Amino acid sequence: MLHLRGVVLPEGEHREFWIADGRISTEPVPGARTLDVDGYLVPGLVDAHCHPGIGVGGPVSIEEAADQARTDRDAGTLLIRDCGVPLDIRPLQQRADLPRIIRSGRHLALPKRYIPGLGIELDAPEQLPEAVAAQAADSDGWVKLVGDWIDRSVGDLAPLWPDDVLAEAIAVAHDAGARVTAHVFGEEALPGLIGAGIDCLEHGTGLNAEQIDLLAANGAALVPTLINIENFPGIADKATRFPAYAAHMRDLHARVGATVRAAIEAGVPVFAGSDAGGMVEHGRLVDEIEALHHAGMSAEQALAAGSWAARDWLGHQGIVHGAPADLLVLDTDPRTDLGALRRPRHIILRGQVLS
């Protein structure tokens, strides 16, 4: 049992609360130990696009996935939306020492149209609605589609799914109470995804002004994964057999800052996701929060995108009575110094002080 006091975010009010049985209480708890700090109390960070279960070479073991999640935890990430992994990570959800995880199941793709070994490869696009129904039933309320990928027959990014199939598949997910997100880099897949009622876009580097306005009107979110987009020039350098694709990736990289800035200004809900796993190391969520700040968010908005706003979006509470006690204790105000997130005095997960 713990007793804490400090400036509680996002309200910014100085108050005290207690932790008992892993939950927050605004009522005094007899015998609680007072934590020796009076700083800034921040709801645990949220990585809205993370892959515990994917490494540089593809799928990893459940033990390696646990190590990845632990690395994220030690950097302050206490809630992960797994954005598609190739193994069953339910065992990680049962561990009290690891971040809470929202499972999105496996990527849905077509043969040779995504990274080998990561997704479920359907034999034909028409199978998508049935596959979405299965993933919706097996996940924690999210389904992940691969919206576009390089098509070697045309030498550039191209959509995977016809518009009518997308509309049916997303309707199936919504009927099941699930939300749908999609990996999408280029421009061609966006009209079909947005028109079908997609709930979220991952990366979204090809968005134009009209599509950004549609996202805002629909309440659909964007998780731009800016620190992963920094890999685009390197990807292009290796794509010597596909010059159109290489040029396209360089162009998307060059304008991503303006694209994300336009989304922020239009009121699109934008959240922090590191895309850790594969080309991005785990534990880098604060880098993404800072990248969102550089892209046009205020420091407080960027912090919210990786903390309390992301929690609201994903259905998890912040620092309120009855909520799970997942929070960071900082010495300085992260609303004016995001670097404070790199120096937590304490990380508290499920009511236990980890550091």
Side-chain angles (χ1 to χ4, degrees), residues 63 65-75 77 95 97-99:
E63 292 79 12
D67 288 340
Q68 293 172 336
R70 190 178 300 109
T71 297
D72 291 317
R73 177 205 71 187
D74 291 347
T77 295
R95 291 184 49 167
D97 64 321
L98 297 180

Side-chain angles (χ1 to χ4, degrees), residues 24 43 47-48 55 71 79 95 98 106 118 150 158 216 223 227 231 244 270 291 334 343:
I24 293 168
D47 194 335
T71 297
L79 176 63
R95 291 184 49 167
L98 297 180
R106 296 189 64 180
L118 297 190
I150 185 171
V223 182
I227 61 173
N231 290 308
V270 176
R343 306 180 298 272

Side-chain angles (χ1 to χ4, degrees), residues 3-350:
H3 172 218
L4 292 87
R5 63 172 68 92
V7 177
V8 178
L9 301 184
E11 294 84 1
E13 298 176 356
H14 190 283
R15 53 190 174 90
E16 60 183 337
F17 60 88
W18 290 259
I19 296 174
D21 298 324
R23 293 190 173 271
I24 293 168
S25 173
T26 56
E27 300 294 330
V29 175
R33 173 173 65 92
T34 299
L35 205 59
D36 58 343
V37 67
D38 190 349
Y40 293 83
L41 310 177
V42 182
L45 300 184
V46 180
D47 194 335
H49 185 132
C50 189
H51 302 284
I54 298 176
V56 174
V60 301
S61 68
I62 194 69
E63 292 79 12
E64 291 173 291
D67 288 340
Q68 293 172 336
R70 190 178 300 109
T71 297
D72 291 317
R73 177 205 71 187
D74 291 347
T77 295
L78 303 184
L79 176 63
I80 288 171
R81 182 182 63 146
D82 116 50
C83 215
V85 294
L87 69 157
D88 185 352
I89 58 172
R90 287 179 180 87
L92 304 187
Q93 293 180 303
Q94 306 306 314
R95 291 184 49 167
D97 64 321
L98 297 180
R100 300 179 195 275
I101 299 174
I102 299 169
R103 292 171 39 258
S104 297
R106 296 189 64 180
H107 303 78
L108 295 177
L110 292 171
K112 299 183 179 179
R113 297 299 308 280
Y114 194 55
I115 301 169
L118 297 190
I120 296 173
E121 296 183 350
L122 308 182
D123 293 328
E126 293 72 22
Q127 296 176 345
L128 184 64
E130 182 179 359
V132 164
Q135 291 299 302
D138 192 52
S139 74
D140 297 333
W142 280 94
V143 178
K144 174 71 177 290
L145 309 182
V146 177
D148 71 356
W149 196 252
I150 185 171
D151 183 338
R152 289 164 177 79
S153 68
V154 300
D156 201 355
L157 295 167
L160 273 72
W161 318 103
D163 291 356
D164 60 337
V165 171
L166 275 175
E168 181 183 354
I170 291 175
V172 165
H174 289 170
D175 287 345
R179 290 185 278 184
V180 183
T181 193
H183 162 105
V184 58
F185 284 159
E187 298 87 353
E188 288 187 50
L190 287 166
L193 291 167
I194 297 171
I198 196 82
D199 299 286
C200 181
L201 295 177
E202 312 300 320
H203 321 300
T205 42
L207 285 163
N208 63 30
E210 181 180 355
Q211 292 161 347
I212 286 170
D213 287 342
L214 284 172
L215 286 182
N218 294 344
L222 173 65
V223 182
T225 69
L226 289 167
I227 61 173
N228 187 32
I229 306 307
E230 287 303 310
N231 290 308
F232 278 20
I235 293 171
D237 290 345
K238 295 177 182 178
T240 54
R241 293 175 53 206
F242 305 103
Y245 169 72
H248 197 176
M249 294 295 279
R250 291 190 180 97
D251 177 60
L252 292 169
H253 172 263
R255 52 191 168 95
V256 66
T259 300
V260 174
R261 190 173 306 111
I264 294 166
E265 292 173 352
V268 174
V270 176
F271 300 107
S274 69
D275 206 356
M279 300 186 75
V280 177
E281 294 180 353
H282 286 264
R284 292 192 58 196
L285 181 66
V286 177
D287 291 340
E288 182 68 17
I289 292 172
E290 291 181 338
L292 290 174
H293 176 42
H294 295 316
M297 284 186 166
S298 69
E300 185 167 355
Q301 287 173 327
L303 175 59
S307 178
W308 57 83
R311 286 181 168 272
D312 287 345
W313 178 56
L314 294 171
H316 284 248
Q317 296 174 295
I319 303 175
V320 296
H321 181 78
D326 300 337
L327 63 141
L328 308 182
V329 182
L330 309 176
D331 290 329
T332 56
D333 190 344
R335 296 170 297 179
T336 56
D337 175 18
L338 289 173
L341 297 172
R342 302 184 186 277
R343 306 180 298 272
R345 171 75 66 86
H346 298 294
I347 297 174
I348 300 175
L349 175 62
R350 296 180 173 86

